[in-house]
Tab-separated table of all heavy atoms in Angstrom:
chain	number	residue	atom	x	y	z
A	5	ASN	N	6.215	43.121	-160.708
A	5	ASN	CA	5.906	41.927	-159.913
A	5	ASN	C	5.404	42.335	-158.533
A	5	ASN	O	4.470	41.729	-158.001
A	5	ASN	CB	7.158	41.052	-159.777
A	5	ASN	CG	7.573	40.439	-161.097
A	5	ASN	OD1	6.778	39.767	-161.747
A	5	ASN	ND2	8.810	40.689	-161.510
A	6	ASP	N	6.013	43.374	-157.971
A	6	ASP	CA	5.588	43.847	-156.641
A	6	ASP	C	4.121	44.265	-156.652
A	6	ASP	O	3.348	43.916	-155.755
A	6	ASP	CB	6.448	45.042	-156.204
A	6	ASP	CG	7.831	44.608	-155.739
A	6	ASP	OD1	7.974	43.433	-155.355
A	6	ASP	OD2	8.756	45.436	-155.783
A	9	PHE	N	1.876	41.296	-156.981
A	9	PHE	CA	1.843	40.482	-155.757
A	9	PHE	C	0.948	41.157	-154.707
A	9	PHE	O	0.143	40.505	-154.038
A	9	PHE	CB	3.264	40.294	-155.225
A	9	PHE	CG	3.395	39.236	-154.162
A	9	PHE	CD1	2.628	38.082	-154.191
A	9	PHE	CD2	4.317	39.396	-153.129
A	9	PHE	CE1	2.755	37.101	-153.214
A	9	PHE	CE2	4.457	38.413	-152.144
A	9	PHE	CZ	3.675	37.268	-152.191
A	13	GLN	N	-2.560	39.559	-153.263
A	13	GLN	CA	-2.796	39.258	-151.841
A	13	GLN	C	-4.112	39.827	-151.325
A	13	GLN	O	-4.583	39.423	-150.269
A	13	GLN	CB	-1.624	39.783	-151.008
A	13	GLN	CG	-0.370	38.962	-151.239
A	13	GLN	CD	0.837	39.527	-150.527
A	13	GLN	OE1	1.043	39.280	-149.354
A	13	GLN	NE2	1.631	40.314	-151.235
A	18	GLY	N	-2.286	34.671	-149.477
A	18	GLY	CA	-0.848	34.646	-149.759
A	18	GLY	C	-0.521	35.096	-151.174
A	18	GLY	O	0.638	35.099	-151.577
A	25	ARG	N	4.845	28.814	-154.098
A	25	ARG	CA	5.033	29.893	-155.078
A	25	ARG	C	5.132	31.278	-154.441
A	25	ARG	O	5.539	32.238	-155.094
A	25	ARG	CB	3.843	29.935	-156.041
A	25	ARG	CG	3.653	28.674	-156.811
A	25	ARG	CD	2.428	28.811	-157.696
A	25	ARG	NE	1.961	27.509	-158.130
A	25	ARG	CZ	0.864	27.305	-158.837
A	25	ARG	NH1	0.110	28.327	-159.196
A	25	ARG	NH2	0.516	26.089	-159.191
A	26	ALA	N	4.694	31.387	-153.173
A	26	ALA	CA	4.644	32.700	-152.536
A	26	ALA	C	6.014	33.217	-152.111
A	26	ALA	O	6.128	34.344	-151.619
A	26	ALA	CB	3.708	32.664	-151.341
A	27	PHE	N	7.080	32.392	-152.260
A	27	PHE	CA	8.439	32.816	-151.896
A	27	PHE	C	8.597	33.036	-150.393
A	27	PHE	O	9.529	33.710	-149.965
A	27	PHE	CB	8.829	34.115	-152.615
A	27	PHE	CG	9.373	33.942	-154.018
A	27	PHE	CD1	8.963	32.899	-154.829
A	27	PHE	CD2	10.287	34.848	-154.535
A	27	PHE	CE1	9.449	32.761	-156.131
A	27	PHE	CE2	10.797	34.718	-155.830
A	27	PHE	CZ	10.368	33.673	-156.625
A	28	ARG	N	7.669	32.517	-149.585
A	28	ARG	CA	7.776	32.757	-148.144
A	28	ARG	C	9.093	32.218	-147.580
A	28	ARG	O	9.687	32.830	-146.702
A	28	ARG	CB	6.623	32.059	-147.420
A	28	ARG	CG	5.301	32.777	-147.555
A	28	ARG	CD	5.211	33.872	-146.522
A	28	ARG	NE	4.071	34.717	-146.780
A	28	ARG	CZ	3.046	34.846	-145.951
A	28	ARG	NH1	3.009	34.178	-144.821
A	28	ARG	NH2	2.062	35.654	-146.250
A	29	ALA	N	9.529	31.055	-148.085
A	29	ALA	CA	10.739	30.448	-147.531
A	29	ALA	C	11.975	31.243	-147.915
A	29	ALA	O	12.915	31.364	-147.125
A	29	ALA	CB	10.874	29.010	-148.030
A	30	VAL	N	11.977	31.785	-149.125
A	30	VAL	CA	13.193	32.461	-149.606
A	30	VAL	C	13.101	33.978	-149.460
A	30	VAL	O	14.098	34.687	-149.614
A	30	VAL	CB	13.472	32.107	-151.091
A	30	VAL	CG1	13.852	30.645	-151.232
A	30	VAL	CG2	12.288	32.439	-151.988
A	31	GLY	N	11.898	34.458	-149.180
A	31	GLY	CA	11.688	35.897	-149.053
A	31	GLY	C	11.563	36.563	-150.412
A	31	GLY	O	11.886	35.972	-151.453
A	32	GLY	N	11.052	37.795	-150.410
A	32	GLY	CA	10.958	38.547	-151.657
A	32	GLY	C	9.643	38.333	-152.392
A	32	GLY	O	8.677	37.804	-151.834
A	33	THR	N	9.656	38.727	-153.642
A	33	THR	CA	8.423	38.768	-154.438
A	33	THR	C	8.440	37.703	-155.524
A	33	THR	O	9.393	37.648	-156.320
A	33	THR	CB	8.312	40.148	-155.129
A	33	THR	OG1	8.339	41.154	-154.127
A	33	THR	CG2	7.026	40.262	-155.940
A	34	PRO	N	7.396	36.890	-155.586
A	34	PRO	CA	7.353	35.923	-156.683
A	34	PRO	C	7.295	36.612	-158.031
A	34	PRO	O	6.766	37.721	-158.140
A	34	PRO	CB	6.065	35.127	-156.432
A	34	PRO	CG	5.357	35.781	-155.323
A	34	PRO	CD	6.239	36.803	-154.699
A	35	ARG	N	7.859	35.949	-159.037
A	35	ARG	CA	7.778	36.504	-160.382
A	35	ARG	C	6.445	36.107	-160.987
A	35	ARG	O	6.072	34.918	-160.944
A	35	ARG	CB	8.939	35.982	-161.246
A	35	ARG	CG	10.319	36.311	-160.657
A	35	ARG	CD	10.446	37.790	-160.296
A	35	ARG	NE	11.802	38.173	-159.946
A	35	ARG	CZ	12.215	38.507	-158.727
A	35	ARG	NH1	11.381	38.500	-157.691
A	35	ARG	NH2	13.469	38.884	-158.517
A	36	PHE	N	5.731	37.067	-161.527
A	36	PHE	CA	4.453	36.793	-162.190
A	36	PHE	C	4.754	36.553	-163.663
A	36	PHE	O	5.254	37.442	-164.353
A	36	PHE	CB	3.459	37.945	-161.965
A	36	PHE	CG	2.845	37.877	-160.594
A	36	PHE	CD1	3.606	38.164	-159.470
A	36	PHE	CD2	1.532	37.462	-160.427
A	36	PHE	CE1	3.068	38.047	-158.194
A	36	PHE	CE2	0.975	37.354	-159.156
A	36	PHE	CZ	1.750	37.640	-158.037
A	380	ASN	N	18.771	30.245	-149.556
A	380	ASN	CA	17.866	31.371	-149.832
A	380	ASN	C	18.610	32.546	-150.475
A	380	ASN	O	18.119	33.154	-151.429
A	380	ASN	CB	17.173	31.812	-148.533
A	380	ASN	CG	16.246	30.716	-147.998
A	380	ASN	OD1	15.972	29.738	-148.698
A	380	ASN	ND2	15.788	30.866	-146.767
A	383	PHE	N	19.469	31.523	-154.010
A	383	PHE	CA	18.275	31.548	-154.872
A	383	PHE	C	18.082	32.943	-155.460
A	383	PHE	O	17.840	33.105	-156.663
A	383	PHE	CB	17.044	31.130	-154.039
A	383	PHE	CG	15.748	31.348	-154.765
A	383	PHE	CD1	15.279	30.415	-155.677
A	383	PHE	CD2	15.005	32.512	-154.562
A	383	PHE	CE1	14.102	30.632	-156.374
A	383	PHE	CE2	13.831	32.735	-155.252
A	383	PHE	CZ	13.374	31.791	-156.163
A	384	HIS	N	18.209	33.960	-154.620
A	384	HIS	CA	17.974	35.337	-155.104
A	384	HIS	C	19.098	35.805	-156.022
A	384	HIS	O	18.843	36.524	-156.998
A	384	HIS	CB	17.774	36.294	-153.929
A	384	HIS	CG	16.373	36.194	-153.391
A	384	HIS	ND1	15.286	36.662	-154.080
A	384	HIS	CD2	15.891	35.636	-152.265
A	384	HIS	CE1	14.175	36.411	-153.403
A	384	HIS	NE2	14.523	35.790	-152.293
A	387	LEU	N	18.300	34.297	-159.289
A	387	LEU	CA	17.154	34.986	-159.890
A	387	LEU	C	17.606	36.302	-160.526
A	387	LEU	O	17.228	36.627	-161.658
A	387	LEU	CB	16.123	35.246	-158.786
A	387	LEU	CG	14.653	35.281	-159.153
A	387	LEU	CD1	14.205	34.014	-159.873
A	387	LEU	CD2	13.822	35.463	-157.878
Side-chain angles (χ1 to χ4, degrees):
N5 292 305
D6 284 337
F9 193 35
Q13 289 175 83
R25 300 178 198 175
F27 276 31
R28 284 276 170 117
V30 292
T33 303
R35 302 310 190 250
F36 282 71
N380 295 349
F383 170 83
H384 280 289
L387 210 55

